[in-house]
Amino acid sequence: MRDFDNMTVILLAAGQGTRMKSPLPKVLHPISGEPMIYRIIRTIQSLGDAEIRVVVGHGKELVSRVVDGLGVTCLIQEKQLGTGDAVRVAMEPPTDGDVLVLNGDHPLITADDLSKIVREFKSSDVGMGVVTCELGEPGSFGRIVRDSYGTVQAIVEAKDATDVALKIKEVNTGIYVASSDIFKKYLPQIQSTNAQNEYYLTDVVELMRTDQKEILGIKANRNVAFGVNSQMELAMANKEIYRKKVDTLLENGVIVLDPETTYVEDEVEVGSGAVLYPGVFLRGKTQIGALTVIEPNCMIIQSTIGDSCEIKAGSYIEKSEVGERSVLGPYARLRPETKIGKECKIGNFVELKKVDFGDKSKASHLTYLGDAEVGEDTNIGCGTITCNYREDKKKYKTKIGSGVFVGSDTQFIAPVEIGDGALIGSGSTITKNVPKDALAVARGRQIVKEGWATRFTGKK
Ligand code: UD1
Ligand code: MG
């Protein structure tokens, strides 16, 4: 059995997040390219089959829609009356077994942190554990009050604390793990008589003490306590998470010239000996082959790049595949459903969309190919355009065979097919199929009138 099987996890996400100063609900702000709340849900799910209950309030429709399909239940807290009230909402319908309470806005928590917390609780025989950590500047965190034996006696909110209590460095991270019976018994007893007129979940501690019940203080690292409350903290969290990913790449033999300015999302895989220049952004389920070089300011999204490729500066690649030893860019753009073969060349200002581009073929300059098939060893000249969009507002295909030479400034009016080995003269507008090995020229004939220029210039 895994640590989280048969557990209930309550994720608190109803707060407004006023200090974010953004119209987006706080838990939907992006961490490593996805809404903050996805990350914590995925972390929980990696630890077992817990029932996840998300308490939503501010922006509830949007948050519920975003987490729909992730296998969690959203419970609505109509008014944000405090963390105690939020957990009360989440305990309906009541659950059995152990309950873990987490904040939706603590993105630096790892699966390892959570599993340690739950294990420590399970190996004790107390009814509730509070996760704490020591902070040099405890600020607005609730303070953990212990007696002279070190037993946890209370959690005092900063706004309610005496000067003596404010000096305590051990703080409440806002994470709790308890047997559901404890919440069932004590949540209804919480009052809102405090500085904020809120129902404090933390009051459960004192209520338990009144009944002589022990509370476990579970010590964790400071990342566990790190909550996002402002754009500054969001930026710090992102920095930390991107940096961690780059550190793993470095450990696996990837060459990263400037780890601070290289952004790689969690699911990306990069082969050893690959080189990432500054300003590279790798997103989604992207795979980069071994020894591939990615020059500055490339954005690569959900794509697969083979081994020993060169992706030159400023290229943008989305939902595409590139075969080994191909060279792209600078400033190449691959739009979704493009498949580039091996040893190809896609040069500057070339845009491809839904193209199957065969091995060893080239499109070196200033070209648009859309809805096209290109065979092997074909050369697409500078300024070639597939005109795929017709007067009936439908898209049509251009099929170009293998060993074809397309002269510069050619337009293919789709649907059109060019046979293997064909030659297309520069400046052609191709409207009809061209058979194998044929030459097609489709341009106006040049007219030369000797001396006529002087009629305009007046020169003799
Ligand atoms: C709470 C703790 C404090 C702890 C801190 C750690 C209480 C009374 N205090 O502080 O001891 O140091 O967390 O971060 O619990 N939320 C709801 N509904 C509400 C109120 C809050 O869902 O009615 C959610 C928020 O969205 C947030 C979480 O609960 O995710 C914590 O709320 P927040 O206001 O940030 O924490 P504090 O109450 O300041
Ligand atoms: Mg609060």
Side-chain angles (χ1 to χ4, degrees):
M1 202 166 98
R2 292 177 298 168
D3 292 341
F4 276 45
D5 288 347
N6 301 330
M7 276 191 78
T8 303
V9 179
I10 296 174
L11 260 183
L12 302 184
Q16 187 168 16
T18 324
R19 286 201 281 141
M20 297 302 285
K21 295 189 181 161
S22 144
L24 204 59
K26 194 208 285 188
V27 291
L28 300 188
H29 281 74
I31 289 284
S32 188
E34 58 181 14
M36 203 185 297
I37 196 161
Y38 277 19
R39 191 175 186 84
I40 187 79
I41 290 174
R42 229 191 9 249
T43 306
I44 298 161
Q45 288 172 337
S46 75
L47 292 165
D49 233 347
E51 182 194 343
I52 303 177
R53 298 183 175 192
V54 184
V55 181
V56 295
H58 277 279
K60 53 184 184 284
E61 289 84 13
L62 195 55
V63 178
S64 308
R65 218 179 321 137
V66 170
V67 299
D68 187 38
L70 298 181
V72 304
T73 312
C74 288
L75 296 144
I76 299 170
Q77 185 192 23
E78 292 294 353
K79 281 195 183 141
Q80 281 61 66
L81 302 175
T83 48
D85 181 67
V87 175
R88 207 145 53 189
V89 167
M91 287 294 289
E92 211 51 60
T95 68
D96 296 317
D98 294 334
V99 180
L100 173 71
V101 178
L102 288 175
N103 291 342
D105 54 3
H106 284 213
L108 301 185
I109 297 178
T110 64
D112 198 39
D113 294 328
L114 288 184
S115 96
K116 274 190 192 144
I117 290 165
V118 167
R119 281 183 191 181
E120 194 169 331
F121 170 74
K122 283 189 174 168
S123 62
S124 75
D125 53 5
V126 301
M128 178 158 104
V130 175
V131 181
T132 76
C133 93
E134 300 263 345
L135 293 180
E137 288 181 27
S140 61
F141 280 90
R143 308 297 202 269
I144 303 291
V145 180
R146 294 184 186 250
D147 66 11
S148 51
Y149 302 100
T151 314
V152 176
Q153 295 292 337
I155 300 173
V156 183
E157 290 308 292
K159 285 188 178 141
D160 301 292
T162 59
D163 288 348
V164 177
L166 281 176
K167 292 207 172 74
I168 298 172
K169 304 277 189 215
E170 188 183 3
V171 303
N172 171 23
T173 62
I175 301 170
Y176 317 83
V177 52
S179 106
S180 52
D181 295 338
I182 292 286
F183 284 153
K184 284 178 201 158
K185 176 161 184 198
Y186 293 105
L187 288 175
Q189 299 181 31
I190 295 176
Q191 308 283 322
S192 60
T193 43
N194 50 53
Q196 303 184 82
N197 296 321
E198 279 185 10
Y199 293 91
Y200 290 168
L201 178 57
T202 46
D203 283 357
V204 169
V205 173
E206 272 184 273
L207 290 167
M208 285 174 72
R209 289 307 295 156
T210 316
D211 285 350
Q212 313 295 324
K213 286 197 161 71
E214 202 187 324
I215 295 101
L216 181 70
I218 303 172
K219 295 219 166 139
N221 64 66
R222 19 184 345 158
N223 274 356
V224 171
F226 185 89
V228 169
N229 293 298
S230 62
Q231 298 298 339
M232 186 63 84
E233 285 168 345
L234 181 70
M236 283 161 68
N238 270 309
K239 194 87 194 151
E240 167 98 13
I241 283 164
Y242 283 125
R243 183 58 216 245
K244 252 197 199 161
K245 176 69 182 184
V246 169
D247 288 348
T248 332
L249 298 182
L250 291 169
E251 275 162 29
N252 293 327
V254 178
I255 302 161
V256 181
L257 298 185
D258 181 11
E260 292 298 318
T261 59
T262 305
Y263 304 89
V264 182
E265 289 180 7
D266 288 325
E267 289 182 286
V268 174
E269 291 171 28
V270 185
S272 59
V275 182
L276 307 183
Y277 275 76
V280 165
F281 218 121
L282 306 178
R283 305 201 53 192
K285 278 192 165 64
T286 286
Q287 288 183 312
I288 307 290
L291 297 169
T292 283
V293 178
I294 308 194
E295 289 189 358
N297 304 330
C298 287
M299 174 72 107
I300 304 181
I301 306 166
Q302 260 167 268
S303 295
T304 303
I305 315 289
D307 293 349
S308 303
C309 289
E310 271 181 71
I311 312 294
K312 297 192 178 181
S315 295
Y316 195 106
I317 299 174
E318 194 182 357
K319 293 185 183 158
S320 293
E321 282 175 45
V322 177
E324 60 192 44
R325 295 189 298 283
S326 287
V327 179
L328 271 71
Y331 310 109
R333 175 159 186 217
L334 303 190
R335 288 169 54 198
E337 295 180 53
T338 293
K339 193 166 174 286
I340 307 288
K342 298 175 188 166
E343 293 173 48
C344 292
K345 179 159 190 248
I346 304 294
N348 40 211
F349 308 111
V350 174
E351 174 184 347
L352 276 69
K353 187 216 74 173
K354 274 196 189 174
V355 176
D356 199 334
F357 201 77
D359 295 349
K360 297 187 177 175
S361 286
K362 293 182 178 140
S364 298
H365 338 262
L366 298 160
T367 286
Y368 170 70
L369 303 179
D371 304 294
E373 267 176 42
V374 175
E376 296 181 9
D377 231 339
T378 283
N379 187 72
I380 306 289
C382 174
T384 297
I385 298 170
T386 56
C387 307
N388 51 344
Y389 190 59
R390 296 289 298 247
E391 62 281 7
D392 59 3
K393 299 190 173 164
K394 287 190 187 141
K395 299 277 174 71
Y396 290 93
K397 247 184 130 164
T398 301
K399 288 189 188 175
I400 301 172
S402 293
V404 173
F405 186 93
V406 177
S408 299
D409 192 25
T410 294
Q411 300 94 52
F412 293 102
I413 313 296
V416 71
E417 290 187 27
I418 312 301
D420 293 345
L423 192 61
I424 311 293
S426 294
S428 291
T429 299
I430 300 294
T431 54
K432 295 186 198 119
N433 291 349
V434 178
K436 186 171 177 291
D437 297 320
L439 163 70
V441 184
R443 62 186 180 221
R445 281 181 183 281
Q446 183 168 329
I447 301 165
V448 176
K449 308 259 186 195
E450 290 286 352
W452 275 40
T454 56
R455 288 194 184 184
F456 300 99
T457 61
K459 273 193 273 176
K460 286 265 168 337

PDB file of all heavy atoms in Angstrom, residues 436-460:
ATOM      1  N   LYS A 436       6.737  13.138 -63.273  1.00  0.00           N
ATOM      2  CA  LYS A 436       8.080  12.703 -62.914  1.00  0.00           C
ATOM      3  C   LYS A 436       9.103  13.165 -63.966  1.00  0.00           C
ATOM      4  O   LYS A 436       8.817  13.101 -65.167  1.00  0.00           O
ATOM      5  CB  LYS A 436       7.994  11.174 -62.903  1.00  0.00           C
ATOM      6  CG  LYS A 436       9.155  10.396 -62.453  1.00  0.00           C
ATOM      7  CD  LYS A 436       8.694   8.914 -62.334  1.00  0.00           C
ATOM      8  CE  LYS A 436       9.835   7.988 -61.946  1.00  0.00           C
ATOM      9  NZ  LYS A 436      10.853   7.787 -62.932  1.00  0.00           N
ATOM     10  N   ASP A 437      10.224  13.654 -63.516  1.00  0.00           N
ATOM     11  CA  ASP A 437      11.358  14.041 -64.369  1.00  0.00           C
ATOM     12  C   ASP A 437      11.065  15.160 -65.382  1.00  0.00           C
ATOM     13  O   ASP A 437      11.892  15.423 -66.268  1.00  0.00           O
ATOM     14  CB  ASP A 437      11.934  12.816 -65.110  1.00  0.00           C
ATOM     15  CG  ASP A 437      12.489  11.789 -64.137  1.00  0.00           C
ATOM     16  OD1 ASP A 437      13.118  12.226 -63.132  1.00  0.00           O
ATOM     17  OD2 ASP A 437      12.283  10.580 -64.326  1.00  0.00           O
ATOM     18  N   ALA A 438       9.919  15.814 -65.273  1.00  0.00           N
ATOM     19  CA  ALA A 438       9.597  16.886 -66.245  1.00  0.00           C
ATOM     20  C   ALA A 438      10.131  18.237 -65.765  1.00  0.00           C
ATOM     21  O   ALA A 438      10.403  18.421 -64.581  1.00  0.00           O
ATOM     22  CB  ALA A 438       8.086  16.968 -66.409  1.00  0.00           C
ATOM     23  N   LEU A 439      10.241  19.151 -66.711  1.00  0.00           N
ATOM     24  CA  LEU A 439      10.550  20.543 -66.365  1.00  0.00           C
ATOM     25  C   LEU A 439       9.245  21.330 -66.476  1.00  0.00           C
ATOM     26  O   LEU A 439       8.531  21.190 -67.465  1.00  0.00           O
ATOM     27  CB  LEU A 439      11.580  21.116 -67.345  1.00  0.00           C
ATOM     28  CG  LEU A 439      11.698  22.652 -67.356  1.00  0.00           C
ATOM     29  CD1 LEU A 439      12.340  23.166 -66.065  1.00  0.00           C
ATOM     30  CD2 LEU A 439      12.518  23.127 -68.562  1.00  0.00           C
ATOM     31  N   ALA A 440       8.930  22.118 -65.489  1.00  0.00           N
ATOM     32  CA  ALA A 440       7.745  22.987 -65.592  1.00  0.00           C
ATOM     33  C   ALA A 440       8.183  24.421 -65.388  1.00  0.00           C
ATOM     34  O   ALA A 440       8.901  24.740 -64.442  1.00  0.00           O
ATOM     35  CB  ALA A 440       6.723  22.598 -64.533  1.00  0.00           C
ATOM     36  N   VAL A 441       7.771  25.256 -66.313  1.00  0.00           N
ATOM     37  CA  VAL A 441       8.030  26.683 -66.169  1.00  0.00           C
ATOM     38  C   VAL A 441       6.684  27.369 -66.358  1.00  0.00           C
ATOM     39  O   VAL A 441       6.007  27.108 -67.338  1.00  0.00           O
ATOM     40  CB  VAL A 441       9.032  27.192 -67.224  1.00  0.00           C
ATOM     41  CG1 VAL A 441       9.364  28.661 -66.977  1.00  0.00           C
ATOM     42  CG2 VAL A 441      10.304  26.362 -67.227  1.00  0.00           C
ATOM     43  N   ALA A 442       6.287  28.177 -65.458  1.00  0.00           N
ATOM     44  CA  ALA A 442       4.977  28.828 -65.561  1.00  0.00           C
ATOM     45  C   ALA A 442       5.134  30.275 -65.137  1.00  0.00           C
ATOM     46  O   ALA A 442       4.833  30.657 -64.024  1.00  0.00           O
ATOM     47  CB  ALA A 442       3.971  28.106 -64.670  1.00  0.00           C
ATOM     48  N   ARG A 443       5.715  31.061 -66.065  1.00  0.00           N
ATOM     49  CA  ARG A 443       5.910  32.482 -65.770  1.00  0.00           C
ATOM     50  C   ARG A 443       5.774  33.262 -67.065  1.00  0.00           C
ATOM     51  O   ARG A 443       5.926  32.693 -68.148  1.00  0.00           O
ATOM     52  CB  ARG A 443       7.286  32.713 -65.140  1.00  0.00           C
ATOM     53  CG  ARG A 443       8.437  32.331 -66.041  1.00  0.00           C
ATOM     54  CD  ARG A 443       9.779  32.447 -65.323  1.00  0.00           C
ATOM     55  NE  ARG A 443      10.872  32.088 -66.195  1.00  0.00           N
ATOM     56  CZ  ARG A 443      11.912  31.359 -65.818  1.00  0.00           C
ATOM     57  NH1 ARG A 443      12.003  30.885 -64.594  1.00  0.00           N
ATOM     58  NH2 ARG A 443      12.876  31.102 -66.676  1.00  0.00           N
ATOM     59  N   GLY A 444       5.503  34.537 -66.936  1.00  0.00           N
ATOM     60  CA  GLY A 444       5.375  35.371 -68.125  1.00  0.00           C
ATOM     61  C   GLY A 444       6.684  35.397 -68.909  1.00  0.00           C
ATOM     62  O   GLY A 444       7.753  35.369 -68.320  1.00  0.00           O
ATOM     63  N   ARG A 445       6.577  35.402 -70.251  1.00  0.00           N
ATOM     64  CA  ARG A 445       7.797  35.482 -71.069  1.00  0.00           C
ATOM     65  C   ARG A 445       8.365  36.883 -71.006  1.00  0.00           C
ATOM     66  O   ARG A 445       7.629  37.860 -70.932  1.00  0.00           O
ATOM     67  CB  ARG A 445       7.479  35.152 -72.531  1.00  0.00           C
ATOM     68  CG  ARG A 445       7.361  33.685 -72.751  1.00  0.00           C
ATOM     69  CD  ARG A 445       7.082  33.388 -74.214  1.00  0.00           C
ATOM     70  NE  ARG A 445       6.900  31.967 -74.393  1.00  0.00           N
ATOM     71  CZ  ARG A 445       7.906  31.092 -74.455  1.00  0.00           C
ATOM     72  NH1 ARG A 445       9.155  31.503 -74.399  1.00  0.00           N
ATOM     73  NH2 ARG A 445       7.664  29.818 -74.615  1.00  0.00           N
ATOM     74  N   GLN A 446       9.690  36.972 -71.103  1.00  0.00           N
ATOM     75  CA  GLN A 446      10.350  38.283 -71.047  1.00  0.00           C
ATOM     76  C   GLN A 446      10.278  38.949 -72.413  1.00  0.00           C
ATOM     77  O   GLN A 446      10.515  38.319 -73.439  1.00  0.00           O
ATOM     78  CB  GLN A 446      11.799  38.066 -70.616  1.00  0.00           C
ATOM     79  CG  GLN A 446      12.562  39.347 -70.442  1.00  0.00           C
ATOM     80  CD  GLN A 446      13.892  39.094 -69.741  1.00  0.00           C
ATOM     81  OE1 GLN A 446      14.010  38.182 -68.931  1.00  0.00           O
ATOM     82  NE2 GLN A 446      14.888  39.894 -70.061  1.00  0.00           N
ATOM     83  N   ILE A 447       9.940  40.194 -72.407  1.00  0.00           N
ATOM     84  CA  ILE A 447       9.918  40.950 -73.661  1.00  0.00           C
ATOM     85  C   ILE A 447      11.038  41.982 -73.591  1.00  0.00           C
ATOM     86  O   ILE A 447      11.189  42.650 -72.568  1.00  0.00           O
ATOM     87  CB  ILE A 447       8.563  41.684 -73.835  1.00  0.00           C
ATOM     88  CG1 ILE A 447       7.421  40.665 -73.842  1.00  0.00           C
ATOM     89  CG2 ILE A 447       8.556  42.541 -75.095  1.00  0.00           C
ATOM     90  CD1 ILE A 447       6.057  41.289 -73.636  1.00  0.00           C
ATOM     91  N   VAL A 448      11.824  42.090 -74.653  1.00  0.00           N
ATOM     92  CA  VAL A 448      12.899  43.099 -74.658  1.00  0.00           C
ATOM     93  C   VAL A 448      12.660  44.053 -75.832  1.00  0.00           C
ATOM     94  O   VAL A 448      12.494  43.618 -76.957  1.00  0.00           O
ATOM     95  CB  VAL A 448      14.290  42.436 -74.788  1.00  0.00           C
ATOM     96  CG1 VAL A 448      15.393  43.485 -74.897  1.00  0.00           C
ATOM     97  CG2 VAL A 448      14.549  41.505 -73.608  1.00  0.00           C
ATOM     98  N   LYS A 449      12.586  45.328 -75.633  1.00  0.00           N
ATOM     99  CA  LYS A 449      12.429  46.317 -76.709  1.00  0.00           C
ATOM    100  C   LYS A 449      13.652  47.214 -76.674  1.00  0.00           C
ATOM    101  O   LYS A 449      13.798  48.030 -75.748  1.00  0.00           O
ATOM    102  CB  LYS A 449      11.164  47.173 -76.471  1.00  0.00           C
ATOM    103  CG  LYS A 449       9.913  46.340 -76.246  1.00  0.00           C
ATOM    104  CD  LYS A 449       9.071  46.261 -77.494  1.00  0.00           C
ATOM    105  CE  LYS A 449       7.746  45.547 -77.191  1.00  0.00           C
ATOM    106  NZ  LYS A 449       7.060  45.135 -78.409  1.00  0.00           N
ATOM    107  N   GLU A 450      14.519  47.027 -77.594  1.00  0.00           N
ATOM    108  CA  GLU A 450      15.792  47.764 -77.643  1.00  0.00           C
ATOM    109  C   GLU A 450      15.559  49.270 -77.623  1.00  0.00           C
ATOM    110  O   GLU A 450      14.707  49.764 -78.362  1.00  0.00           O
ATOM    111  CB  GLU A 450      16.562  47.409 -78.922  1.00  0.00           C
ATOM    112  CG  GLU A 450      17.119  45.995 -78.967  1.00  0.00           C
ATOM    113  CD  GLU A 450      18.336  45.790 -78.083  1.00  0.00           C
ATOM    114  OE1 GLU A 450      18.858  46.791 -77.540  1.00  0.00           O
ATOM    115  OE2 GLU A 450      18.745  44.621 -77.911  1.00  0.00           O
ATOM    116  N   GLY A 451      16.276  49.972 -76.798  1.00  0.00           N
ATOM    117  CA  GLY A 451      16.269  51.434 -76.792  1.00  0.00           C
ATOM    118  C   GLY A 451      15.023  52.082 -76.192  1.00  0.00           C
ATOM    119  O   GLY A 451      14.956  53.298 -76.057  1.00  0.00           O
ATOM    120  N   TRP A 452      14.022  51.287 -75.846  1.00  0.00           N
ATOM    121  CA  TRP A 452      12.768  51.874 -75.371  1.00  0.00           C
ATOM    122  C   TRP A 452      12.908  52.612 -74.037  1.00  0.00           C
ATOM    123  O   TRP A 452      12.138  53.534 -73.757  1.00  0.00           O
ATOM    124  CB  TRP A 452      11.683  50.791 -75.215  1.00  0.00           C
ATOM    125  CG  TRP A 452      10.966  50.517 -76.500  1.00  0.00           C
ATOM    126  CD1 TRP A 452      11.532  50.438 -77.736  1.00  0.00           C
ATOM    127  CD2 TRP A 452       9.572  50.296 -76.650  1.00  0.00           C
ATOM    128  NE1 TRP A 452      10.589  50.169 -78.683  1.00  0.00           N
ATOM    129  CE2 TRP A 452       9.348  50.066 -78.027  1.00  0.00           C
ATOM    130  CE3 TRP A 452       8.488  50.249 -75.784  1.00  0.00           C
ATOM    131  CZ2 TRP A 452       8.093  49.806 -78.541  1.00  0.00           C
ATOM    132  CZ3 TRP A 452       7.236  49.979 -76.301  1.00  0.00           C
ATOM    133  CH2 TRP A 452       7.048  49.774 -77.657  1.00  0.00           C
ATOM    134  N   ALA A 453      13.894  52.261 -73.271  1.00  0.00           N
ATOM    135  CA  ALA A 453      14.028  52.875 -71.942  1.00  0.00           C
ATOM    136  C   ALA A 453      14.256  54.370 -72.064  1.00  0.00           C
ATOM    137  O   ALA A 453      13.771  55.155 -71.237  1.00  0.00           O
ATOM    138  CB  ALA A 453      15.183  52.228 -71.178  1.00  0.00           C
ATOM    139  N   THR A 454      14.953  54.782 -73.085  1.00  0.00           N
ATOM    140  CA  THR A 454      15.272  56.201 -73.250  1.00  0.00           C
ATOM    141  C   THR A 454      14.023  57.042 -73.506  1.00  0.00           C
ATOM    142  O   THR A 454      14.011  58.235 -73.260  1.00  0.00           O
ATOM    143  CB  THR A 454      16.278  56.412 -74.404  1.00  0.00           C
ATOM    144  OG1 THR A 454      15.717  55.839 -75.581  1.00  0.00           O
ATOM    145  CG2 THR A 454      17.609  55.770 -74.090  1.00  0.00           C
ATOM    146  N   ARG A 455      12.939  56.374 -73.951  1.00  0.00           N
ATOM    147  CA  ARG A 455      11.673  57.102 -74.108  1.00  0.00           C
ATOM    148  C   ARG A 455      11.222  57.690 -72.773  1.00  0.00           C
ATOM    149  O   ARG A 455      10.546  58.713 -72.731  1.00  0.00           O
ATOM    150  CB  ARG A 455      10.564  56.162 -74.561  1.00  0.00           C
ATOM    151  CG  ARG A 455      10.658  55.705 -75.962  1.00  0.00           C
ATOM    152  CD  ARG A 455       9.303  55.092 -76.270  1.00  0.00           C
ATOM    153  NE  ARG A 455       9.252  54.518 -77.570  1.00  0.00           N
ATOM    154  CZ  ARG A 455       8.144  54.004 -78.069  1.00  0.00           C
ATOM    155  NH1 ARG A 455       7.055  53.969 -77.322  1.00  0.00           N
ATOM    156  NH2 ARG A 455       8.134  53.522 -79.269  1.00  0.00           N
ATOM    157  N   PHE A 456      11.533  56.963 -71.707  1.00  0.00           N
ATOM    158  CA  PHE A 456      11.115  57.435 -70.385  1.00  0.00           C
ATOM    159  C   PHE A 456      12.182  58.293 -69.728  1.00  0.00           C
ATOM    160  O   PHE A 456      11.887  59.279 -69.085  1.00  0.00           O
ATOM    161  CB  PHE A 456      10.800  56.232 -69.471  1.00  0.00           C
ATOM    162  CG  PHE A 456       9.698  55.374 -70.013  1.00  0.00           C
ATOM    163  CD1 PHE A 456       9.976  54.203 -70.702  1.00  0.00           C
ATOM    164  CD2 PHE A 456       8.371  55.795 -69.906  1.00  0.00           C
ATOM    165  CE1 PHE A 456       8.964  53.442 -71.231  1.00  0.00           C
ATOM    166  CE2 PHE A 456       7.363  55.031 -70.428  1.00  0.00           C
ATOM    167  CZ  PHE A 456       7.633  53.849 -71.095  1.00  0.00           C
ATOM    168  N   THR A 457      13.450  57.875 -69.899  1.00  0.00           N
ATOM    169  CA  THR A 457      14.513  58.572 -69.188  1.00  0.00           C
ATOM    170  C   THR A 457      14.933  59.832 -69.940  1.00  0.00           C
ATOM    171  O   THR A 457      15.500  60.746 -69.348  1.00  0.00           O
ATOM    172  CB  THR A 457      15.762  57.671 -69.008  1.00  0.00           C
ATOM    173  OG1 THR A 457      16.230  57.324 -70.318  1.00  0.00           O
ATOM    174  CG2 THR A 457      15.443  56.433 -68.217  1.00  0.00           C
ATOM    175  N   GLY A 458      14.704  59.853 -71.233  1.00  0.00           N
ATOM    176  CA  GLY A 458      15.112  60.994 -72.030  1.00  0.00           C
ATOM    177  C   GLY A 458      16.593  60.982 -72.365  1.00  0.00           C
ATOM    178  O   GLY A 458      17.080  61.840 -73.084  1.00  0.00           O
ATOM    179  N   LYS A 459      17.338  59.974 -71.852  1.00  0.00           N
ATOM    180  CA  LYS A 459      18.780  59.908 -72.135  1.00  0.00           C
ATOM    181  C   LYS A 459      19.010  59.443 -73.563  1.00  0.00           C
ATOM    182  O   LYS A 459      18.242  58.645 -74.104  1.00  0.00           O
ATOM    183  CB  LYS A 459      19.462  58.912 -71.188  1.00  0.00           C
ATOM    184  CG  LYS A 459      19.877  59.552 -69.860  1.00  0.00           C
ATOM    185  CD  LYS A 459      20.818  58.640 -69.079  1.00  0.00           C
ATOM    186  CE  LYS A 459      20.028  57.673 -68.219  1.00  0.00           C
ATOM    187  NZ  LYS A 459      20.846  56.704 -67.521  1.00  0.00           N
ATOM    188  N   LYS A 460      20.040  59.951 -74.186  1.00  0.00           N
ATOM    189  CA  LYS A 460      20.360  59.529 -75.550  1.00  0.00           C
ATOM    190  C   LYS A 460      21.515  58.538 -75.530  1.00  0.00           C
ATOM    191  O   LYS A 460      22.385  58.646 -74.691  1.00  0.00           O
ATOM    192  CB  LYS A 460      20.740  60.758 -76.401  1.00  0.00           C
ATOM    193  CG  LYS A 460      19.512  61.601 -76.754  1.00  0.00           C
ATOM    194  CD  LYS A 460      19.007  61.192 -78.132  1.00  0.00           C
ATOM    195  CE  LYS A 460      17.689  61.690 -78.552  1.00  0.00           C
ATOM    196  NZ  LYS A 460      16.593  62.132 -78.090  1.00  0.00           N
TER     197      LYS A 460
END
